Amino acid sequence: MPRHYGIYGGQYVAETLMPALNELDRTYQALKNDPGFRAEMNGYLRDYIGRESPLFFAERLTEYAGGARIYLKREDLNHTGAHKVNNTIGQALIARRMGKKCLIAETGAGMHGVATATVAALFGMECEVFMGAEDIRRQAPNVQRMEVLGTKVTAVHSGSSTLKDAMNEALRQWIARVDDTLYVIGTVAGPHPYPEMVADFQSVISREARAQILEKTGRLPDEVIACVGGGSNAIGMFKHFIPDASVRLTGVEAGGSGLETGKHAASICGGRTGVLHGCKTYLLQDEFGQIIETHSVSAGLDYPGVGPEHSYLHDSGRVSYKTINDVEALEAFDLLCRREGIIPALESAHALAQGLKSAAAMSKDQSIIICLSGRGDKDMQNVCEVKQKLFGKVTS
Amino acid sequence: MKDNIANAFNQGHKGLVIYVTAGHPNMEESERLIGEFIEAGADLIELGVPFSDPMADGAVIQESSQIALSNGATLPKIIDMAARLRKKYATPMILFSYYNILLAKGFEQTVASCAEAGIDGLLIVDLPQEEIAEVKPALDKYNLALVRLIAPTTPPERAREIVAGADGFIYYITVRGVTGVRSAVAQDLEEHLSTLRKLSPVPVAAGFGISTPEQARASAQYADGAVVGSAVVRLVSQGKQREAVELVRSLAAGLA
C-alpha cells in the first residue's frame, strides 16, 4: 500500500518519532493479511463489539423526505456507541503484539477516547487520553466514562483547546514515551501508516453494508453518505463501494455557521493543501500557513484537517464533499429522534441532513445508505445549550 | 549560503548555537535582541518561525510562538529581519521551521527569498529523511543547507543514511522529548555523539534541554557545539531581556 495518496499523505513528523512509525508500519504490514491476526480481531468485533451492525430501513424518515429509500448503517449500536471501537480494537491488538504497555490517544467528542479507554481496560494496558479543555466542557459524560474505565484524562489548554491541540499534545507525549507506548490515532489522518491502517480497520462498515443492502434490495445503493471530520467513518463507509462506479459517494463536512461566514470546519470545501499532524492534506489555514480555529456544533468534526485519502478522493472526483451547517444538523437530529426513535450523534446528524436533501431529490425506487456513525447520548447537554442559543428554546 | 555555516564551528572553540523565536516578544525587540546575542558570543542563530501548532516544542516555545504570532510575526517579516541582520553581521543564520509555513507561499519562492536575505540554511522540524526529496532541488538550486536532525531513538543504520546526505551541520537531539529546559544531561550522550562525529562530514551540535553553561559545556565536549533555546526564550518571555543576553554571554564563555 502507498505511503502517499496522490500528492497527499506521507510522514511529516519529528525524527524522534520516525523509528516508532517504522516499527508500527513493519508490524502492521506483517499482520494485516495474517489469518491468525484477522481471526483474533474478528472474534472481538463479533463477541465484544457486537458486529455486524444492522442496516436499518428508516421508513418514517423515507416518508418524510418523500424520495429515495433511506437506510441507516447502525454504527451507533456498537459497544461504546460509535464506529471508533472498530479501529481501537485493531490498534490495541497491534500494540499488544509490539509489547507496548501504554496507549495514548487524542479525542474530540470523546468517542475515540472512550473507545481507547475501553480496549485498554480489556487488554490490561495503561491509558492516557488528551482532550481539549473546551471539549471536556462540551462532552462531560464521555470524560466520566473514560475515568470509570481507568483512563487518565488530561486537559489540553493550548491553542483553541479542541481536537487539534489534543493531537499536538498526544504527539508531544509520544515523542517523550515512545519506547513503551503506542499512540492510537482515532482518524484516517496522521503520518503513514495511520491513514491506511485506520481505513483498513474501519472498512468493515462498508464490507457489511454492501452485503446487507444487496441482500435486502437485490442491488447496490444509488448513494452512500457519511460525515467527515478527520474522516474515519466515511472512509470505512466508502471503501468497498469505491470500485462500484454507479454508487455516488458523498462526504459531509461541518459547515458551522455557514461556509461563507468563515466559521466552519470544512477542510476540503473551504481549505487548501498543507502539512499538519504528519500528513499532507487539505487544511484550514491563513495565508501564512498558520492553522485557523474551526467552528462546529459537533466536537467530533471540529478539526482543521482531513485524512489524506479524502483529499485524494476529492481531487480525483470519486467522492463529492459538501457542507451541512449547525442549524441543518440540529434539525436532522430532531427529525431522527422524533421519527425513528434514534438519538444520533451530532456528527452523524450532518450526514443525515445531507441524506434528507439527497433523498428528496431522488425517486422512490432509488436507495441511499447513511452512516449513523454514533449515538447522541453524549450530546444532550450540548444540544440543549446550543438550541437555547440559536432558537431560544430547547424543544421544537 | 550553506558554506557559511562551517564558520560557526571553526572559531577555535565549540560553537554556540542560539535558538530564538523570531518575532518574540515582537518583531522590533526580537531584531535588537538577536543583534545583542550575536555580540554576546552566539556563533549561529536559529530563527525559530512561530507556528500555531508546534508539535515538537515544549511549553516555553509554544508560549513564545503564541506571543510572537499575536504581535504580528509572519515569515515574510522574519525574512526581511534576517536581511537587515545580514547587513550588519556575518554570523551564520538558519530558519528553524515547521514545514507548513514554508509551503504557504510556495516552497521554492520561500527558499529564494531566504537565499536573497542571506539565510544560510533551513531546519524543517517535521520533515524527516523520508520526505526530503521534495525539498532538496530548491535548496540545492539556491545553495541553502538542509540541517538534519538525529534523535536518541534513531537506529545506527538510519543515522548513517541521514549523515551521508548531511550539509550545514547535524543537530543531535539529546533527549527523548520535546524542546524545553531540563536539569540533567542525558546519560548515553557521549557514546551517541562520538559515533556520530566519526560518521559525519559536517559539524555536530547537541541540543534540546540544555539551559546552563555547565550543561552546554558537558554536551559540547563530545560535539562541535551546543544549541540553547528554551532557557533564553523563557527569560525573554519573562521580560528579562538583559538576563537573556547575559546568559548567552556566559554560555559563550563556558564554551570558550
Side-chain angles (χ1 to χ4, degrees), chain A residues 310-326:
Chain A
H310 284 292
S311 296
Y312 174 73
L313 289 168
H314 167 74
D315 286 8
S316 73
R318 180 65 189 93
V319 179
S320 310
Y321 293 86
K322 298 184 170 159
T323 60
I324 285 291
N325 65 32
D326 289 348

Side-chain angles (χ1 to χ4, degrees), chain A residues 59-324:
Chain A
E59 194 173 351
R60 297 192 66 228
L61 208 60
T62 298
E63 190 184 283
Y64 174 87
R69 294 166 69 85
I70 298 172
Y71 291 86
L72 303 175
K73 180 60 174 163
R74 299 289 309 273
E75 292 299 301
D76 61 315
L77 293 178
N78 293 337
H79 177 45
T80 75
H83 68 291
K84 293 292 187 187
V85 73
N86 301 331
N87 166 49
T88 59
I89 279 279
Q91 289 198 46
L93 286 171
I94 285 180
R96 198 162 68 165
R97 301 257 182 148
M98 290 169 81
K100 306 286 184 189
K101 293 176 173 53
C102 307
L103 304 179
I104 57 172
E106 84 294 339
T107 198
M111 298 311 279
H112 174 60
V114 168
T116 307
T118 298
V119 297
L122 176 66
F123 295 130
M125 292 171 163
E126 273 178 50
C127 184
E128 182 173 1
V129 171
F130 298 88
M131 189 168 184
E134 169 62 15
D135 291 337
I136 286 182
R137 192 192 63 77
R138 286 196 283 189
Q139 312 276 229
N142 273 343
V143 176
Q144 289 158 359
R145 291 169 78 197
M146 287 185 268
E147 286 171 351
V148 300
L149 289 161
T151 279
K152 181 180 171 199
V153 180
T154 300
V156 177
H157 294 277
S158 57
S160 53
S161 304
T162 61
L163 180 54
K164 81 173 171 78
D165 310 290
M167 202 154 173
N168 290 336
E169 199 52 39
L171 281 164
R172 289 183 192 114
Q173 286 293 321
W174 199 28
I175 291 174
R177 330 170 7 180
V178 67
D179 288 341
D180 68 346
T181 299
L182 182 70
Y183 177 16
V184 179
I185 294 185
T187 190
V188 286
H192 174 81
Y194 287 99
E196 179 197 348
M197 182 169 69
V198 177
D200 173 5
F201 296 152
Q202 292 295 0
S203 66
V204 64
I205 302 173
S206 52
R207 188 161 58 239
E208 290 174 2
R210 193 175 182 282
Q212 289 167 321
I213 193 91
L214 285 173
E215 195 193 315
K216 281 184 198 298
T217 70
R219 59 184 198 84
L220 288 168
D222 296 280
E223 185 172 0
V224 170
I225 301 172
C227 65
V228 179
S232 71
N233 91 85
I235 284 288
M237 188 70 235
F238 297 159
K239 205 74 181 180
H240 290 275
F241 289 109
I242 288 175
D244 300 321
S246 68
V247 179
R248 191 163 66 209
L249 303 176
T250 305
V252 184
E253 295 193 302
S257 309
L259 207 54
E260 68 290 349
T261 65
K263 290 186 177 300
H264 58 79
S267 315
I268 292 179
C269 296
R272 63 189 165 82
T273 304
V275 169
L276 181 69
H277 294 150
C279 63
K280 189 177 282 182
T281 191
Y282 280 94
L283 298 176
L284 294 173
Q285 53 182 320
D286 71 10
E287 60 168 313
F288 299 109
Q290 306 296 345
I291 306 305
I292 54 184
E293 290 188 14
T294 50
H295 300 268
S296 172
V297 67
S298 139
L301 302 182
D302 220 346
Y303 181 67
V306 63
E309 191 171 4
H310 284 292
S311 296
Y312 174 73
L313 289 168
H314 167 74
D315 286 8
S316 73
R318 180 65 189 93
V319 179
S320 310
Y321 293 86
K322 298 184 170 159
T323 60
I324 285 291

